[in-house]
Amino acid sequence: MDRLSGGLPSVGDLAVNCVYTALLQPVNVVKILIQVGYEPLPPTYRKPSMFFFSGGYYYPNIFKYMKYLSDKEGTRLVLYRGLTPRLGGVFITNSVRSEVLAALPVSTSKCPPEQIAAEVGRQCAATALAVITSHPLLVVTNRMIVSLIGGEDKYSTVTGAIATIFSEEGLWGFYAGIIPHLLGEVSGKAIEVLIQEIVEKIELNKKLGLPAPADGKTTLPVSAIHGFLSYPLQLTTTIMTVNNCGLAVSDLPAIQGTQISWLACIKALWNGGNIKRGSNLMFARKAADQSWHTLPALLYPS
């Protein structure tokens, strides 16, 4: 489990990560816009059925959302908005994490609890430094994407976004939303590593009849568990990176009450029943009601 990994990631690994990131960028663009509450397409009523169990109003699927964005901007390239800084963030995250893991010694303790605690600490330290160094590019990526809502030109390019953030907010602007980002990634990584270490110690893979991977990691879906548990903080991070930055996204009814702090943000999302908003894109998304998503007329170009 990354105990022996270190140094810069291989060219092959980086290539795979970059291709994977690029292929999923259209989904990421839609996800970010849904997370901040931008629903330009009105929900339609669906009768109770096998796919719409309770019936009610449901938003169009993400493919219709993508088509809307492409038609609105006149090009499918809009679905790749923010790809460059996102790829940069992937490179920095992988590189920093690998370098930190190479620098931190692996525990030689014979006591299993001490081994587990040491490995959790080692992995969390690497994750924390990776988040801190790559977070500015996450801010740039998210603001480039949400600028599609109001059509702000100053965030239409990477250089323009960087210049705008620096001139209007200074260096601290690049770290908007850093606290929930750190908490989400570090706590999620701690849970992920803890599960993996315990599973390996008790040889659960063998007991369940699962194949033993060559790298020694468990085949149980611990990454999925990480994503599920940390999603509320991921959503909060997205909103805090774009809050109060002079973009039209700040006028969306769906994020009103979230501007004060990240704690106020997560509380407002929880109280409004929106703490999982954007987490399930592949299935029908039920609209809570018919009012919260309504945008000012200027955000609904005909």
Side-chain angles (χ1 to χ4, degrees):
M1 185 168 45
D2 289 322
R3 282 193 175 90
L4 302 179
S5 63
L8 292 175
S10 69
V11 175
D13 289 341
L14 281 176
V16 170
N17 285 333
C18 287
V19 170
Y20 178 78
T21 299
L23 289 175
L24 291 183
Q25 183 62 8
V27 176
N28 184 60
V29 169
V30 172
K31 180 179 180 179
I32 296 299
L33 293 174
I34 291 175
Q35 284 182 327
V36 299
Y38 181 54
E39 295 286 0
L41 299 175
T44 56
Y45 182 78
R46 305 294 182 107
K47 295 180 180 180
S49 67
M50 182 182 299
F51 300 103
F52 305 99
F53 296 101
S54 60
Y57 285 89
Y58 288 82
Y59 290 114
N61 59 46
I62 62 171
F63 302 105
K64 291 182 178 179
Y65 201 124
M66 291 178 188
K67 185 178 185 302
Y68 167 82
L69 292 176
S70 299
D71 292 345
K72 176 186 173 184
E73 299 296 324
T75 174
R76 292 183 180 179
L77 292 178
V78 68
L79 299 176
Y80 293 90
R81 174 72 70 91
L83 177 59
T84 300
R86 191 171 180 223
L87 289 175
V90 169
F91 174 78
I92 291 175
T93 297
N94 290 343
S95 299
V96 170
R97 189 169 182 279
S98 295
E99 287 294 326
V100 173
L101 288 175
L104 296 177
V106 178
S107 173
T108 57
S109 172
K110 301 298 182 181
C111 177
E114 290 183 3
Q115 289 180 348
I116 293 175
E119 186 62 19
V120 169
R122 180 170 172 266
Q123 295 283 344
C124 287
T127 298
L129 287 175
V131 168
I132 291 171
T133 52
S134 65
H135 188 80
L137 289 176
L138 176 67
V139 174
V140 172
T141 299
N142 289 352
R143 293 192 183 184
M144 288 182 67
I145 291 173
V146 300
S147 69
L148 293 170
I149 298 172
E152 293 89 352
D153 291 334
K154 59 185 180 180
Y155 281 99
S156 61
T157 64
V158 178
T159 54
I162 293 174
T164 298
I165 294 172
F166 184 76
S167 63
E168 295 183 357
E169 302 172 62
L171 289 175
W172 183 243
F174 291 101
Y175 285 92
I178 183 65
I179 295 178
H181 191 189
L182 265 176
L183 289 176
E185 291 299 319
V186 173
S187 62
K189 176 58 69 173
I191 294 171
E192 180 181 339
V193 176
L194 183 62
I195 293 174
Q196 288 182 337
E197 288 288 328
I198 292 176
V199 167
E200 290 172 14
K201 295 300 181 186
I202 64 176
E203 297 183 331
L204 187 58
N205 275 339
K206 184 183 298 184
K207 293 178 181 178
L208 294 177
L210 298 173
D215 58 6
K217 295 182 182 179
T218 175
T219 53
L220 295 176
V222 289
S223 294
I225 297 173
H226 170 183
F228 175 80
L229 294 177
S230 64
Y231 187 80
L233 287 169
Q234 293 176 29
L235 174 59
T236 303
T237 298
T238 297
I239 294 175
M240 295 309 297
T241 57
V242 302
N243 253 341
N244 302 318
C245 63
L247 293 173
V249 64
S250 297
D251 297 326
L252 294 178
I255 62 172
Q256 296 308 304
T258 66
Q259 290 92 341
I260 301 175
S261 67
W262 73 270
L263 287 173
C265 178
I266 201 168
K267 181 179 179 181
L269 291 170
W270 182 273
N271 291 339
N274 296 314
I275 200 66
K276 289 292 185 178
R277 187 170 65 215
S279 63
N280 188 3
L281 298 179
M282 302 313 296
F283 299 95
R285 297 175 293 111
K286 190 171 185 178
D289 55 56
Q290 292 296 292
S291 60
W292 72 268
H293 68 282
T294 303
L295 305 179
L298 66 90
L299 299 183
Y300 265 134
S302 57

